[in-house]
């Protein structure tokens, strides 16, 4: 999965060295980022002109390099540790919503403007949350939504606690309950996308998103009205509930 996804990203970078990537965090894309790092180190994949925009960031936290990685759960730190510090991307070309912004509303508008100024996103990397979210677009987020502050569902808080905070020994009370996220409308404007999911835990939600009704109760079902090219990359477990394979 990771090799295939990284291959698609690498092809784009070779074809368009100044491309704009939309990036995601979470456990799923880590292998893809490792493969991109390998391609950079062993095959000279050049990120020097690549621009990136991340989907989301928790509200209220930001990268703090004075802390060890496991105690800094910001997505800015995740991207720095899992990808950026290992490749030749210019940090000024990377964009992640600022979880410490004093004025989230202004910030979100400016983030949308930055994406436009960069020429729009050429390739958006997506996962899928247990509740069907893309980015942090929780159930009920309109398909026309733009970058904004979103309240996290209990399921997202529980999932991310299990996957990240618990392992780091951070008490659940310290988990942020809000995030800044690109909207579904923002994501749907990307010219192409890849969506990754693995594991049996994702099987039901993957089937709902790909084969169920198009509904903002499962925001990733927006995939069915997406107009760009999208490649869905699943392992056997995540694909196991699909009827039309
Ligand atoms: P995960 O998260 O990769 O940690 O499963 C996916 C998501 O929430 O979009």
């Amino acid at each position: 999965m990771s090799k295939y996804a990284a291959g698609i990203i690498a092809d784009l970078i070779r074809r368009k060295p100044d491309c704009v990537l939309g990036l995601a965090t979470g456990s799923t894309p880590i292998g893809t980022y490792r493969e991109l790092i390998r391609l950079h180190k062993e095959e000279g994949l050049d990120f020097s002109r690549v621009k990136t925009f991340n989907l989301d960031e928790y509200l209220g936290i930001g990268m703090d390099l004075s802390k060890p990685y496991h105690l800094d759960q910001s997505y800015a730190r995740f991207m720095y540790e899992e990808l950026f510090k290992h490749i030749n991307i210019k940090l000024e070309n990377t964009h992640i919503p600022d979880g410490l912004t004093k004025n989230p509303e202004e910030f979100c508008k400016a983030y949308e403007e930055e994406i436009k100024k960069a020429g729009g996103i050429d390739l958006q990397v997506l996962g899928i949350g247990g509740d069907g979210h893309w980015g942090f677009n929780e159930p009920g987020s309109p398909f026309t939504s733009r970058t904004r502050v979103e309240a996290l569902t209990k399921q997202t808080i529980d999932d991310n606690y299990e996957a990240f905070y618990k392992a780091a020994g951070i008490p659940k009370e310290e988990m942020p309950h809000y995030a800044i996220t690109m909207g579904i409308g923002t994501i749907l404007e990307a010219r192409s996308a890849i969506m990754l999911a693995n594991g049996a835990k994702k099987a039901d939600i993957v089937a709902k998103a790909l084969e169920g009704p198009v509904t903002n109760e499962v925001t990733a079902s927006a995939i069915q009205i997406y107009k760009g090219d999208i490649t869905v990359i699943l392992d056997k477990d995540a694909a196991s509930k699909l009827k039309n394979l």
Side-chain angles (χ1 to χ4, degrees):
M1 280 179 66
S2 299
K3 283 214 158 104
Y4 194 79
I8 292 174
I9 299 168
D11 281 349
L12 171 65
I13 296 173
R14 290 190 194 106
R15 228 176 34 244
K16 187 175 177 190
D18 60 347
C19 63
V20 180
L21 300 176
L23 298 179
T25 51
S27 1
T28 314
I30 291 177
T32 302
Y33 297 153
R34 290 205 177 130
E35 178 61 9
L36 287 175
I37 295 164
R38 191 195 68 74
L39 288 169
H40 168 67
K41 295 203 159 137
E42 292 177 16
E43 298 180 24
L45 185 65
D46 180 14
F47 290 83
S48 61
R49 293 167 64 202
V50 172
K51 291 197 179 107
T52 66
F53 287 88
N54 264 76
L55 283 169
D56 48 15
E57 175 64 282
Y58 291 117
L59 194 64
I61 60 175
M63 179 155 84
D64 180 354
L65 286 168
S66 71
K67 287 184 180 167
Y69 177 25
H70 70 286
L71 294 179
D72 179 354
Q73 292 288 328
S74 69
Y75 285 169
R77 183 67 176 271
F78 175 101
M79 289 310 304
Y80 180 70
E81 298 286 344
E82 302 293 346
L83 182 63
F84 297 155
K85 78 172 187 186
H86 305 284
I87 59 175
N88 67 331
I89 198 158
K90 294 197 175 81
L91 285 181
E92 66 264 30
N93 286 345
T94 66
H95 304 81
I96 299 172
D98 177 7
L100 296 175
T101 176
K102 295 273 177 300
N103 190 337
E105 208 172 308
E106 279 303 307
F107 177 86
C108 292
K109 267 196 213 132
Y111 200 69
E112 290 274 338
E113 282 307 311
E114 283 286 314
I115 296 173
K116 276 206 192 94
K117 240 172 46 196
I121 291 171
D122 290 302
L123 174 63
Q124 176 67 56
V125 178
L126 296 162
I128 180 169
D131 65 0
H133 66 211
W134 267 354
F136 273 132
N137 289 283
E138 300 290 39
S141 301
F143 285 173
T144 52
S145 53
R146 312 301 307 189
T147 303
R148 69 199 186 289
V149 172
E150 174 75 348
L152 306 181
T153 59
K154 183 177 178 308
Q155 183 174 353
T156 295
I157 292 170
D158 289 349
D159 287 350
N160 288 6
Y161 173 69
E162 285 298 323
F164 294 99
Y165 279 71
K166 195 170 159 189
I170 306 174
K172 199 166 184 186
E173 301 76 67
E174 287 182 25
M175 276 207 68
H177 284 207
Y178 293 88
I180 293 177
T181 182
M182 277 187 207
I184 293 294
T186 322
I187 294 169
L188 290 174
E189 283 171 8
R191 284 184 278 279
S192 67
I194 50 183
M195 180 175 128
L196 298 154
N198 59 275
K201 262 177 76 178
K202 295 281 170 76
D204 281 319
I205 200 67
V206 163
K208 275 189 189 155
L210 300 188
E211 295 181 336
V214 176
T215 166
N216 63 2
E217 283 306 305
V218 179
T219 56
S221 70
I223 193 172
Q224 299 181 48
I225 58 163
Y226 179 59
K227 294 196 173 73
D229 284 334
I230 186 159
T231 306
V232 179
I233 306 169
L234 308 169
D235 71 353
K236 281 201 173 126
D237 288 337
S240 60
K241 300 272 172 78
L242 290 171
K243 291 196 192 74
N244 302 313
L245 259 191

